[in-house]
């Protein structure tokens, strides 16, 4: 709804939806190997992966709006 609301003002609205990212918050997850089996790339992402997605949406996308960019290593496929 934000994308529709702001489109008339030439403002885009997109979302980055991260999967498991290697941080202090995820380092002690129990049964981490089970989670990794569900990720196509078989590894956690890095903070830099999220930063790259945000940079892409911020710099190169004046005709992309209302989208959710999953940055999850293929976990949802």
């Amino acid at each position: 709804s934000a994308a529709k609301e702001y489109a008339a003002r030439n403002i885009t609205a997109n979302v980055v939806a991260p999967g498991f990212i290697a941080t202090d918050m995820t380092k002690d997850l129990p049964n981490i190997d089970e989670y990794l089996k569900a990720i196509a790339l078989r590894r956690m992402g890095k903070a830099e992966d999220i930063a790259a997605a945000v940079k892409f949406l911020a710099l190169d996308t004046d005709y992309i709006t209302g989208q959710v960019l999953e940055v999850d290593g293929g976990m949802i496929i």
Side-chain angles (χ1 to χ4, degrees):
S1 66
K4 282 189 173 191
E5 177 71 25
Y6 294 116
R9 297 182 198 130
N10 203 33
I11 298 170
T12 61
N14 297 292
V15 175
V16 174
F20 286 102
I21 304 301
T23 64
D24 287 343
M25 192 166 102
T26 58
K27 71 179 180 178
D28 295 325
L29 282 174
N31 304 320
I32 190 63
D33 292 332
E34 293 302 313
Y35 292 110
L36 295 178
K37 288 178 187 175
I39 300 171
L41 292 177
R42 300 289 190 256
R43 64 174 177 83
M44 286 191 170
K46 302 174 294 213
E48 293 85 358
D49 298 320
I50 303 306
V54 171
K55 180 180 176 183
F56 166 74
L57 287 172
L59 296 179
D60 299 324
T61 59
D62 56 342
Y63 198 64
I64 297 174
T65 193
Q67 300 302 305
V68 177
L69 181 56
E70 303 278 349
V71 184
D72 64 3
M75 187 170 67
I76 64 165
I77 56 174

